[in-house]
Amino acid sequence: MKKLNKGYLPYLMVSPYLLHLLVFTTFPVIFSIVLTFFNWNIISPLEWNGLGNWKHVISDRLFWKSIFNTLRFLAVHIPLQIIIALALAEVLNQKIRFRGFFRAAFFMPVVISGVVVTIMWQQLLGYENGIINRLFVFAGLGKVGWLTDPDIAMISIALMATWKNVGLYVILFLVGLQTVPKQYYDAADLEGASHWQKFTKITIPMINPTIFMVLVLSTLGGFSLFIEPYIMTGGGPMNSTLSAVLYIYKEAFEYYHMGYSATLGLFFALMIVLVIIIQKRFIEKERHD
């Protein structure tokens, strides 16, 4: 038994995790890379296509439109998410009444199922019978095509996603704010610094690592946009809410272009890595400056 403990027991204890990693992570990644060089519709055998799938990615206008849609979502979602979360965290870090209640209230949407939240907002934003449009009509304003107007639909989804996730980043910023040494603020008070000066000269530089973490998490979350457009609009109207992940999903499970879908997925993953590296270097440059 002692020999077993010293020799094989540690490997035996971690073997379920290693098996899970091998079956559900390593093998799918390797198979996806191999699949980029083949045409395959699940039923028929693999058909060699060389670099055909990669060439198709470059000329696929719908894929680039889905990338543009995703970037449009990020352009609204990330700044809103960071500004609102940081402002709320700054307020909730003060000694205000019902602070615990407000912290719980803002975090509540995070723990609700994304599908449930999406269906709820789909009902609220409906053109004919949505509550928000009814309020607009009651106030003497016209109806808005929150999910039916190609110019507005993606912005509506970005606002909804911000409402859903902002509580998580409020908590992260609260943790970051509480790590700032209080004596820095005391010294600034002695110098007569205003609240804004303390916020910009002390708080922001001190919580730079938290800002970078929130930036990375919200970027990754934005790039993986899928549930909201899939349920609320199906990628419409006129493909204006077709996100990159939704397009990859459709290529795989609606058109059964498995090889091409794997190529899109790998290409998109490389793009995300590139964006994260650029963000990291930008934050580091700002910190050194």
Side-chain angles (χ1 to χ4, degrees):
M1 189 62 187
K2 287 183 179 178
K3 186 177 180 181
L4 180 64
N5 286 343
K6 289 180 180 177
Y8 301 108
L9 189 58
Y11 298 101
L12 192 63
M13 296 294 287
V14 299
S15 60
Y17 172 74
L18 292 177
L19 185 64
H20 181 275
L21 184 70
L22 185 66
V23 174
F24 294 104
T25 302
T26 307
F27 173 74
V29 169
I30 294 173
F31 184 64
S32 295
I33 294 172
V34 172
L35 206 54
T36 62
F37 301 103
F38 290 88
N39 287 330
W40 188 44
N41 64 1
I42 299 179
I43 300 173
S44 60
L46 294 172
E47 178 187 340
W48 175 255
N49 191 28
L51 296 175
N53 287 328
W54 289 96
K55 291 177 182 175
H56 190 196
V57 170
I58 304 301
S59 60
D60 188 348
R61 292 185 178 183
L62 195 53
F63 173 64
W64 290 107
K65 181 174 179 58
S66 73
I67 294 288
F68 173 74
N69 290 337
T70 305
L71 293 177
R72 199 153 61 100
F73 170 83
L74 291 172
V76 177
H77 179 61
I78 292 178
L80 270 182
Q81 191 109 273
I82 292 178
I83 292 170
I84 294 174
L86 187 54
L88 289 174
E90 180 68 13
V91 172
L92 295 176
N93 197 38
Q94 309 299 319
K95 292 179 180 177
I96 60 173
R97 295 184 68 185
F98 306 113
R99 184 170 63 173
F101 168 78
F102 286 119
R103 286 181 178 180
F106 286 119
F107 190 71
M108 188 64 71
V110 178
V111 298
I112 301 175
S113 161
V115 174
V116 173
V117 168
T118 303
I119 292 174
M120 181 186 77
W121 275 97
Q122 188 181 28
Q123 300 301 316
L124 291 172
L125 297 173
Y127 184 78
E128 290 295 340
N129 301 313
I131 294 174
I132 294 177
N133 265 352
R134 288 189 178 189
L135 291 174
F136 269 50
V137 171
F138 181 76
L141 304 171
K143 292 181 179 177
V144 178
W146 301 105
L147 300 176
T148 56
D149 186 332
D151 295 327
I152 299 177
M154 186 55 92
I155 297 174
S156 302
I157 290 175
L159 294 175
M160 188 212 73
T162 301
W163 175 86
K164 167 79 171 66
N165 300 314
V166 75
L168 172 64
Y169 302 117
V170 169
I171 298 299
L172 294 177
F173 277 130
L174 272 172
V175 173
L177 290 173
Q178 290 171 9
T179 61
V180 182
K182 190 174 179 299
Q183 53 265 36
Y184 289 0
Y185 296 115
D186 294 337
D189 288 335
L190 291 175
E191 295 291 332
S194 65
H195 187 80
W196 176 252
Q197 286 174 321
K198 287 188 285 185
F199 181 72
T200 54
K201 302 296 183 185
I202 298 175
T203 304
I204 295 294
M206 292 299 292
I207 63 168
N208 246 340
T210 307
I211 294 174
F212 174 68
M213 181 171 64
V214 169
L215 186 62
V216 170
L217 290 176
S218 56
T219 302
L220 291 175
F223 273 125
S224 62
L225 178 67
F226 173 74
I227 292 176
E228 293 85 351
Y230 179 72
I231 293 177
M232 299 177 84
T233 61
M238 298 171 62
N239 294 318
S240 62
T241 59
L242 181 68
S243 67
V245 175
L246 179 57
Y247 181 59
I248 293 168
Y249 169 84
K250 287 190 172 189
E251 283 291 330
F253 299 107
E254 289 189 9
Y255 311 128
Y256 298 105
H257 299 156
M258 306 304 289
Y260 185 55
S261 177
T263 311
L264 290 173
L266 189 57
F267 188 88
F268 190 52
L270 294 174
M271 284 184 65
I272 294 173
V273 171
L274 181 63
V275 170
I276 298 298
I277 290 173
I278 293 172
Q279 284 182 337
K280 185 173 185 295
R281 291 192 174 179
F282 177 76
I283 293 285
E284 286 178 346
K285 184 175 181 300
E286 288 291 311
R287 192 187 305 170
H288 292 314
D289 290 344

Coordinates of all heavy atoms in Angstrom, one line a residue, residues 31-105:
F31 N -8.2 17.9 -33.6 CA -9.1 17.5 -34.7 C -9.6 18.7 -35.5 O -9.7 18.6 -36.7 CB -10.3 16.7 -34.1 CG -11.2 16.1 -35.1 CD1 -10.7 15.2 -36.0 CD2 -12.5 16.6 -35.2 CE1 -11.6 14.7 -37.0 CE2 -13.3 16.1 -36.2 CZ -12.9 15.1 -37.1
S32 N -9.8 19.8 -34.8 CA -10.3 21.0 -35.5 C -9.2 21.5 -36.4 O -9.5 22.0 -37.5 CB -10.7 22.1 -34.5 OG -11.8 21.7 -33.7
I33 N -7.9 21.5 -35.9 CA -6.8 22.0 -36.8 C -6.7 21.1 -38.0 O -6.5 21.6 -39.2 CB -5.5 22.0 -36.0 CG1 -5.6 23.0 -34.9 CG2 -4.3 22.3 -36.9 CD1 -4.4 23.0 -33.9
V34 N -6.8 19.8 -37.8 CA -6.7 18.8 -39.0 C -7.9 19.1 -39.9 O -7.7 19.1 -41.2 CB -6.7 17.4 -38.5 CG1 -6.8 16.4 -39.6 CG2 -5.5 17.1 -37.7
L35 N -9.1 19.3 -39.3 CA -10.3 19.5 -40.1 C -10.2 20.7 -41.1 O -11.0 20.7 -42.1 CB -11.5 19.6 -39.2 CG -12.9 19.1 -39.7 CD1 -12.8 17.7 -40.2 CD2 -13.9 19.3 -38.6
T36 N -9.4 21.7 -40.7 CA -9.3 22.9 -41.6 C -8.8 22.6 -43.0 O -9.0 23.4 -43.9 CB -8.4 23.9 -40.9 OG1 -7.1 23.4 -40.8 CG2 -8.9 24.4 -39.6
F37 N -8.2 21.4 -43.2 CA -7.7 21.0 -44.5 C -8.6 20.1 -45.2 O -8.2 19.5 -46.3 CB -6.3 20.4 -44.3 CG -5.3 21.3 -43.7 CD1 -5.0 21.2 -42.3 CD2 -4.8 22.4 -44.4 CE1 -4.1 22.0 -41.7 CE2 -3.9 23.3 -43.8 CZ -3.5 23.1 -42.4
F38 N -9.8 19.9 -44.7 CA -10.7 18.9 -45.3 C -12.1 19.5 -45.5 O -12.5 20.5 -44.8 CB -10.9 17.7 -44.4 CG -9.6 16.8 -44.4 CD1 -8.6 17.1 -43.5 CD2 -9.5 15.8 -45.3 CE1 -7.5 16.3 -43.4 CE2 -8.4 15.0 -45.3 CZ -7.4 15.2 -44.3
N39 N -12.9 19.0 -46.4 CA -14.3 19.2 -46.5 C -15.0 18.0 -45.8 O -14.7 16.9 -46.0 CB -14.8 19.3 -47.9 CG -14.4 20.6 -48.5 OD1 -14.2 21.6 -47.8 ND2 -14.2 20.6 -49.8
W40 N -16.0 18.3 -44.9 CA -16.7 17.2 -44.2 C -18.1 17.7 -43.8 O -18.2 18.8 -43.2 CB -15.9 16.8 -43.0 CG -16.4 15.6 -42.3 CD1 -16.8 14.4 -42.9 CD2 -16.5 15.4 -40.9 NE1 -17.1 13.5 -41.9 CE2 -17.0 14.1 -40.7 CE3 -16.3 16.2 -39.8 CZ2 -17.3 13.6 -39.4 CZ3 -16.6 15.7 -38.5 CH2 -17.0 14.4 -38.3
N41 N -19.1 16.8 -44.1 CA -20.4 17.2 -43.7 C -21.0 16.2 -42.6 O -22.2 16.0 -42.6 CB -21.4 17.3 -44.9 CG -21.5 15.9 -45.6 OD1 -20.9 14.9 -45.1 ND2 -22.3 15.8 -46.6
I42 N -20.1 15.6 -41.9 CA -20.4 14.6 -40.8 C -20.8 13.3 -41.4 O -20.3 12.2 -40.9 CB -21.6 15.1 -39.9 CG1 -21.2 16.4 -39.2 CG2 -21.9 14.1 -38.8 CD1 -22.3 17.0 -38.3
I43 N -21.6 13.2 -42.4 CA -22.1 11.9 -42.9 C -21.0 11.3 -43.9 O -20.7 10.1 -43.7 CB -23.4 12.1 -43.7 CG1 -24.5 12.6 -42.7 CG2 -23.9 10.7 -44.3 CD1 -25.8 13.0 -43.3
S44 N -20.6 12.0 -44.8 CA -19.6 11.5 -45.8 C -18.2 11.5 -45.3 O -17.9 12.2 -44.3 CB -19.7 12.3 -47.1 OG -19.4 13.7 -46.8
P45 N -17.3 10.7 -45.9 CA -15.9 10.7 -45.5 C -15.2 12.0 -45.7 O -15.7 12.9 -46.4 CB -15.3 9.6 -46.4 CG -16.4 8.8 -47.0 CD -17.6 9.8 -47.0
L46 N -14.1 12.2 -44.9 CA -13.3 13.4 -45.1 C -12.8 13.5 -46.5 O -12.4 12.6 -47.1 CB -12.2 13.4 -44.1 CG -12.5 13.5 -42.6 CD1 -11.2 13.2 -41.8 CD2 -13.1 14.8 -42.3
E47 N -12.9 14.8 -47.1 CA -12.4 15.0 -48.4 C -11.3 16.1 -48.4 O -11.5 17.2 -47.9 CB -13.6 15.5 -49.3 CG -13.2 15.8 -50.7 CD -14.3 16.4 -51.5 OE1 -15.5 16.3 -51.0 OE2 -14.1 17.1 -52.5
W48 N -10.1 15.7 -48.8 CA -9.0 16.6 -48.8 C -9.3 17.9 -49.5 O -9.7 17.9 -50.7 CB -7.7 15.9 -49.3 CG -6.5 16.9 -49.4 CD1 -6.0 17.4 -50.5 CD2 -5.7 17.3 -48.3 NE1 -4.9 18.2 -50.2 CE2 -4.7 18.1 -48.9 CE3 -5.7 17.1 -46.9 CZ2 -3.7 18.8 -48.1 CZ3 -4.8 17.7 -46.2 CH2 -3.8 18.5 -46.7
N49 N -9.0 19.1 -48.9 CA -9.2 20.4 -49.6 C -8.0 21.3 -49.5 O -8.1 22.4 -50.0 CB -10.5 21.1 -48.9 CG -10.9 22.2 -49.7 OD1 -10.8 22.3 -50.9 ND2 -11.5 23.2 -49.1
G50 N -6.9 20.8 -49.0 CA -5.7 21.6 -48.9 C -6.0 22.9 -48.2 O -6.5 23.0 -47.1
L51 N -5.6 24.0 -48.8 CA -5.7 25.4 -48.2 C -7.0 26.0 -48.7 O -7.2 27.2 -48.5 CB -4.5 26.2 -48.6 CG -3.2 25.8 -48.0 CD1 -2.1 26.7 -48.5 CD2 -3.2 25.8 -46.4
G52 N -7.9 25.3 -49.3 CA -9.1 25.8 -49.9 C -10.0 26.5 -48.8 O -10.5 27.6 -49.1
N53 N -10.1 25.9 -47.6 CA -10.9 26.6 -46.6 C -10.3 27.9 -46.2 O -11.0 28.9 -45.9 CB -11.1 25.7 -45.4 CG -12.0 24.5 -45.7 OD1 -12.9 24.6 -46.4 ND2 -11.7 23.3 -45.1
W54 N -9.0 27.9 -46.0 CA -8.3 29.2 -45.6 C -8.5 30.3 -46.7 O -8.7 31.4 -46.4 CB -6.9 28.9 -45.4 CG -6.7 28.1 -44.1 CD1 -6.5 26.7 -44.1 CD2 -6.6 28.5 -42.8 NE1 -6.4 26.3 -42.8 CE2 -6.4 27.4 -41.9 CE3 -6.7 29.8 -42.2 CZ2 -6.4 27.5 -40.6 CZ3 -6.7 29.9 -40.8 CH2 -6.5 28.7 -40.0
K55 N -8.4 29.9 -48.0 CA -8.6 30.9 -49.0 C -10.0 31.4 -49.0 O -10.3 32.6 -49.2 CB -8.3 30.3 -50.4 CG -6.8 29.9 -50.6 CD -6.6 29.2 -51.9 CE -5.1 28.8 -52.1 NZ -4.9 28.0 -53.3
H56 N -11.0 30.5 -48.7 CA -12.4 31.0 -48.7 C -12.6 32.0 -47.5 O -13.4 32.9 -47.7 CB -13.3 29.7 -48.5 CG -14.7 30.0 -48.7 ND1 -15.7 29.2 -48.2 CD2 -15.4 31.1 -49.2 CE1 -16.9 29.8 -48.5 NE2 -16.7 30.9 -49.1
V57 N -11.9 31.8 -46.4 CA -12.1 32.7 -45.3 C -11.8 34.2 -45.7 O -12.5 35.1 -45.4 CB -11.2 32.3 -44.1 CG1 -11.2 33.4 -43.0 CG2 -11.6 31.0 -43.5
I58 N -10.7 34.3 -46.5 CA -10.3 35.7 -46.9 C -11.3 36.3 -47.8 O -11.5 37.6 -47.7 CB -8.9 35.6 -47.7 CG1 -7.9 34.8 -46.8 CG2 -8.4 36.9 -48.1 CD1 -7.6 35.5 -45.5
S59 N -12.0 35.6 -48.6 CA -13.0 36.2 -49.6 C -14.4 36.1 -49.1 O -15.3 36.5 -49.8 CB -12.8 35.5 -50.9 OG -13.1 34.1 -50.8
D60 N -14.6 35.6 -47.9 CA -16.0 35.4 -47.4 C -16.5 36.7 -46.8 O -16.2 37.1 -45.7 CB -16.0 34.3 -46.3 CG -17.4 33.9 -45.9 OD1 -18.4 34.7 -46.3 OD2 -17.6 32.9 -45.2
R61 N -17.3 37.4 -47.6 CA -17.8 38.7 -47.1 C -18.7 38.6 -45.9 O -18.7 39.5 -45.1 CB -18.6 39.4 -48.3 CG -17.7 39.8 -49.5 CD -18.5 40.6 -50.5 NE -17.7 41.0 -51.6 CZ -18.1 41.7 -52.6 NH1 -19.4 42.1 -52.7 NH2 -17.2 42.1 -53.6
L62 N -19.5 37.5 -45.8 CA -20.4 37.4 -44.7 C -19.6 37.2 -43.4 O -20.0 37.7 -42.3 CB -21.4 36.2 -44.9 CG -22.6 36.2 -44.0 CD1 -23.4 37.5 -44.0 CD2 -23.5 35.0 -44.4
F63 N -18.5 36.5 -43.5 CA -17.7 36.3 -42.3 C -17.1 37.7 -41.8 O -17.1 38.0 -40.6 CB -16.5 35.3 -42.6 CG -15.5 35.2 -41.5 CD1 -15.9 34.7 -40.3 CD2 -14.2 35.7 -41.7 CE1 -15.0 34.6 -39.2 CE2 -13.3 35.6 -40.6 CZ -13.7 35.1 -39.4
W64 N -16.6 38.5 -42.8 CA -16.1 39.8 -42.4 C -17.2 40.7 -41.9 O -16.9 41.6 -41.1 CB -15.3 40.4 -43.6 CG -14.1 39.6 -43.9 CD1 -13.8 38.7 -44.9 CD2 -12.9 39.5 -43.0 NE1 -12.6 38.1 -44.8 CE2 -12.0 38.6 -43.6 CE3 -12.5 40.1 -41.8 CZ2 -10.7 38.3 -43.1 CZ3 -11.3 39.9 -41.3 CH2 -10.4 39.0 -41.9
K65 N -18.4 40.5 -42.4 CA -19.5 41.3 -41.9 C -19.7 40.9 -40.4 O -20.0 41.8 -39.6 CB -20.7 41.2 -42.7 CG -21.9 42.0 -42.2 CD -23.1 41.9 -43.2 CE -24.3 42.7 -42.6 NZ -24.0 44.1 -42.4
S66 N -19.7 39.6 -40.2 CA -19.9 39.2 -38.8 C -18.8 39.7 -37.9 O -19.1 40.0 -36.7 CB -20.0 37.6 -38.7 OG -18.7 37.0 -38.9
I67 N -17.6 39.8 -38.4 CA -16.5 40.3 -37.6 C -16.8 41.8 -37.3 O -16.6 42.3 -36.2 CB -15.1 40.2 -38.3 CG1 -14.7 38.7 -38.5 CG2 -14.0 41.0 -37.6 CD1 -14.3 38.1 -37.2
F68 N -17.2 42.5 -38.3 CA -17.5 43.9 -38.2 C -18.7 44.1 -37.1 O -18.6 45.0 -36.3 CB -18.0 44.5 -39.5 CG -18.5 45.9 -39.4 CD1 -17.6 47.0 -39.2 CD2 -19.8 46.2 -39.5 CE1 -18.1 48.3 -39.1 CE2 -20.3 47.5 -39.4 CZ -19.4 48.6 -39.2
N69 N -19.7 43.3 -37.2 CA -20.8 43.3 -36.3 C -20.3 43.1 -34.8 O -20.7 43.8 -33.9 CB -21.8 42.3 -36.6 CG -22.6 42.6 -37.8 OD1 -22.7 43.7 -38.3 ND2 -23.2 41.6 -38.5
T70 N -19.4 42.1 -34.7 CA -18.8 41.8 -33.3 C -18.0 43.0 -32.8 O -18.1 43.4 -31.6 CB -17.9 40.6 -33.4 OG1 -18.7 39.5 -34.0 CG2 -17.4 40.2 -32.0
L71 N -17.2 43.6 -33.7 CA -16.5 44.8 -33.3 C -17.4 46.0 -32.9 O -17.1 46.7 -32.0 CB -15.5 45.2 -34.4 CG -14.4 44.2 -34.7 CD1 -13.5 44.7 -35.8 CD2 -13.5 44.0 -33.5
R72 N -18.5 46.1 -33.7 CA -19.5 47.2 -33.4 C -20.1 46.9 -32.0 O -20.3 47.9 -31.2 CB -20.6 47.2 -34.4 CG -21.4 48.4 -34.5 CD -21.9 48.6 -35.9 NE -22.8 47.6 -36.3 CZ -24.1 47.6 -36.3 NH1 -24.7 48.8 -35.9 NH2 -24.9 46.7 -36.7
F73 N -20.3 45.7 -31.7 CA -20.9 45.3 -30.4 C -19.8 45.7 -29.3 O -20.2 46.3 -28.3 CB -21.2 43.8 -30.3 CG -21.5 43.3 -29.0 CD1 -22.8 43.4 -28.4 CD2 -20.5 42.7 -28.2 CE1 -23.1 42.9 -27.2 CE2 -20.8 42.2 -26.9 CZ -22.1 42.3 -26.4
L74 N -18.6 45.3 -29.5 CA -17.5 45.6 -28.5 C -17.3 47.1 -28.3 O -17.1 47.5 -27.2 CB -16.2 45.0 -29.0 CG -16.1 43.4 -29.0 CD1 -14.8 43.0 -29.6 CD2 -16.2 42.9 -27.5
A75 N -17.4 47.9 -29.4 CA -17.2 49.3 -29.3 C -18.2 50.0 -28.4 O -17.9 51.0 -27.8 CB -17.3 49.9 -30.7
V76 N -19.4 49.4 -28.3 CA -20.4 49.9 -27.4 C -20.3 49.3 -26.0 O -20.4 49.9 -25.0 CB -21.9 49.7 -28.0 CG1 -22.9 50.2 -27.0 CG2 -22.0 50.4 -29.3
H77 N -20.1 48.0 -26.0 CA -20.2 47.2 -24.8 C -19.1 47.4 -23.9 O -19.3 47.7 -22.7 CB -20.3 45.7 -25.2 CG -20.3 44.7 -24.1 ND1 -21.4 44.7 -23.2 CD2 -19.5 43.8 -23.7 CE1 -21.2 43.8 -22.3 NE2 -20.0 43.2 -22.6
I78 N -17.8 47.4 -24.4 CA -16.7 47.5 -23.5 C -16.6 48.9 -22.8 O -16.5 48.9 -21.5 CB -15.4 47.2 -24.2 CG1 -15.4 45.7 -24.6 CG2 -14.2 47.5 -23.3 CD1 -14.2 45.3 -25.4
P79 N -16.6 50.0 -23.5 CA -16.5 51.3 -22.8 C -17.6 51.5 -21.8 O -17.4 51.9 -20.6 CB -16.6 52.3 -23.9 CG -16.2 51.6 -25.1 CD -16.7 50.2 -24.9
L80 N -18.9 51.1 -22.2 CA -20.0 51.2 -21.2 C -19.8 50.4 -20.0 O -20.0 50.8 -18.9 CB -21.3 50.8 -21.9 CG -22.1 51.9 -22.7 CD1 -23.4 51.2 -23.3 CD2 -22.5 53.0 -21.8
Q81 N -19.4 49.2 -20.2 CA -19.2 48.2 -19.1 C -18.2 48.7 -18.1 O -18.4 48.7 -16.9 CB -18.7 46.9 -19.7 CG -18.7 45.7 -18.7 CD -19.8 44.8 -19.1 OE1 -20.9 44.9 -18.7 NE2 -19.5 43.8 -19.8
I82 N -17.0 49.2 -18.6 CA -16.0 49.7 -17.7 C -16.4 51.0 -17.0 O -16.2 51.1 -15.8 CB -14.7 49.9 -18.5 CG1 -14.1 48.5 -19.0 CG2 -13.6 50.6 -17.7 CD1 -12.9 48.6 -19.8
I83 N -16.9 51.9 -17.7 CA -17.3 53.2 -17.1 C -18.4 53.0 -16.1 O -18.2 53.5 -14.9 CB -17.7 54.2 -18.2 CG1 -16.5 54.6 -19.1 CG2 -18.3 55.5 -17.6 CD1 -16.9 55.4 -20.3
I84 N -19.4 52.3 -16.4 CA -20.5 52.1 -15.5 C -20.1 51.3 -14.3 O -20.4 51.7 -13.1 CB -21.7 51.4 -16.2 CG1 -22.3 52.4 -17.2 CG2 -22.8 51.1 -15.2 CD1 -23.4 51.7 -18.1
A85 N -19.3 50.2 -14.5 CA -18.9 49.4 -13.4 C -18.0 50.1 -12.5 O -18.1 50.0 -11.2 CB -18.2 48.1 -14.0
L86 N -17.0 50.9 -13.0 CA -16.1 51.7 -12.2 C -16.8 52.7 -11.4 O -16.5 53.0 -10.2 CB -15.0 52.3 -13.1 CG -13.8 53.0 -12.4 CD1 -13.2 52.0 -11.3 CD2 -12.8 53.4 -13.3
A87 N -17.8 53.4 -12.0 CA -18.5 54.5 -11.3 C -19.4 53.9 -10.2 O -19.4 54.4 -9.1 CB -19.4 55.2 -12.3
L88 N -20.0 52.8 -10.5 CA -20.8 52.1 -9.4 C -19.9 51.6 -8.3 O -20.3 51.7 -7.1 CB -21.6 50.9 -10.0 CG -22.8 51.3 -10.9 CD1 -23.4 50.1 -11.6 CD2 -23.9 52.1 -10.1
A89 N -18.8 51.0 -8.7 CA -17.9 50.5 -7.6 C -17.4 51.6 -6.7 O -17.2 51.5 -5.5 CB -16.7 49.8 -8.3
E90 N -17.1 52.8 -7.4 CA -16.6 53.9 -6.6 C -17.6 54.4 -5.6 O -17.3 54.7 -4.4 CB -16.2 55.1 -7.6 CG -15.7 56.3 -6.9 CD -14.3 56.2 -6.3 OE1 -13.7 55.2 -6.5 OE2 -14.0 57.1 -5.5
V91 N -18.9 54.4 -6.0 CA -20.0 54.8 -5.1 C -20.2 53.8 -4.0 O -20.3 54.1 -2.9 CB -21.3 55.0 -6.0 CG1 -22.5 55.3 -5.0 CG2 -21.1 56.2 -6.9
L92 N -20.2 52.5 -4.4 CA -20.5 51.4 -3.5 C -19.3 51.2 -2.6 O -19.4 50.4 -1.6 CB -20.9 50.2 -4.2 CG -22.2 50.2 -5.0 CD1 -22.4 48.9 -5.8 CD2 -23.3 50.5 -4.1
N93 N -18.2 51.8 -2.8 CA -17.0 51.7 -1.9 C -17.1 52.7 -0.8 O -16.3 52.7 0.1 CB -15.7 51.9 -2.7 CG -14.5 51.4 -2.0 OD1 -14.6 50.3 -1.3 ND2 -13.4 52.1 -2.1
Q94 N -18.0 53.7 -1.0 CA -18.2 54.7 0.1 C -19.2 54.1 1.2 O -19.9 53.2 0.9 CB -18.8 56.0 -0.5 CG -18.0 56.5 -1.7 CD -16.6 56.8 -1.4 OE1 -16.3 57.4 -0.4 NE2 -15.7 56.5 -2.3
K95 N -19.2 54.8 2.3 CA -20.1 54.4 3.4 C -21.5 55.0 3.2 O -21.8 56.0 3.7 CB -19.5 54.8 4.7 CG -18.2 54.1 5.1 CD -17.7 54.5 6.4 CE -16.4 53.8 6.8 NZ -15.8 54.3 8.0
I96 N -22.3 54.4 2.3 CA -23.6 54.8 2.0 C -24.6 53.9 2.6 O -24.3 52.7 2.9 CB -23.9 54.9 0.5 CG1 -23.7 53.6 -0.2 CG2 -22.9 56.0 -0.1 CD1 -24.1 53.5 -1.6
R97 N -25.9 54.3 2.8 CA -26.9 53.5 3.3 C -27.3 52.4 2.3 O -27.3 52.6 1.1 CB -28.2 54.3 3.7 CG -27.9 55.4 4.8 CD -29.2 56.1 5.1 NE -30.2 55.2 5.7 CZ -31.4 55.5 6.1 NH1 -31.8 56.8 5.8 NH2 -32.2 54.7 6.7
F98 N -27.7 51.2 2.9 CA -28.1 50.1 2.1 C -27.0 49.6 1.1 O -27.3 49.2 0.0 CB -29.4 50.4 1.3 CG -30.5 50.9 2.2 CD1 -31.0 52.2 2.0 CD2 -31.1 50.1 3.2 CE1 -32.0 52.7 2.9 CE2 -32.1 50.5 4.0 CZ -32.6 51.8 3.8
R99 N -25.7 49.8 1.4 CA -24.7 49.5 0.5 C -24.7 48.0 0.2 O -24.5 47.6 -1.0 CB -23.3 49.8 1.2 CG -22.1 49.6 0.3 CD -20.9 50.1 0.9 NE -20.5 49.5 2.1 CZ -19.3 49.8 2.7 NH1 -18.5 50.6 2.2 NH2 -19.0 49.2 3.9
G100 N -24.9 47.1 1.2 CA -25.0 45.7 0.9 C -26.1 45.3 0.0 O -25.9 44.5 -0.9
F101 N -27.3 46.0 0.2 CA -28.4 45.7 -0.7 C -28.1 46.1 -2.2 O -28.3 45.3 -3.1 CB -29.6 46.5 -0.2 CG -30.8 46.5 -1.2 CD1 -31.6 45.4 -1.4 CD2 -31.0 47.6 -2.0 CE1 -32.6 45.4 -2.3 CE2 -32.0 47.6 -3.0 CZ -32.8 46.5 -3.1
F102 N -27.5 47.2 -2.4 CA -27.2 47.7 -3.7 C -26.1 46.8 -4.4 O -26.2 46.5 -5.6 CB -26.7 49.1 -3.7 CG -27.8 50.1 -3.5 CD1 -27.8 51.0 -2.4 CD2 -28.9 50.2 -4.4 CE1 -28.8 51.9 -2.2 CE2 -29.9 51.1 -4.2 CZ -29.9 51.9 -3.1
R103 N -25.1 46.3 -3.6 CA -24.1 45.4 -4.1 C -24.8 44.1 -4.6 O -24.5 43.6 -5.7 CB -23.1 45.1 -3.1 CG -22.1 46.3 -2.8 CD -21.1 45.9 -1.8 NE -20.1 46.9 -1.5 CZ -19.2 46.9 -0.7 NH1 -19.0 45.8 0.1 NH2 -18.3 47.9 -0.5
A104 N -25.7 43.6 -3.8 CA -26.4 42.4 -4.2 C -27.3 42.6 -5.4 O -27.4 41.8 -6.3 CB -27.2 41.8 -3.0
A105 N -28.0 43.8 -5.4 CA -28.9 44.1 -6.5 C -28.2 44.2 -7.9 O -28.7 43.6 -8.9 CB -29.7 45.4 -6.2

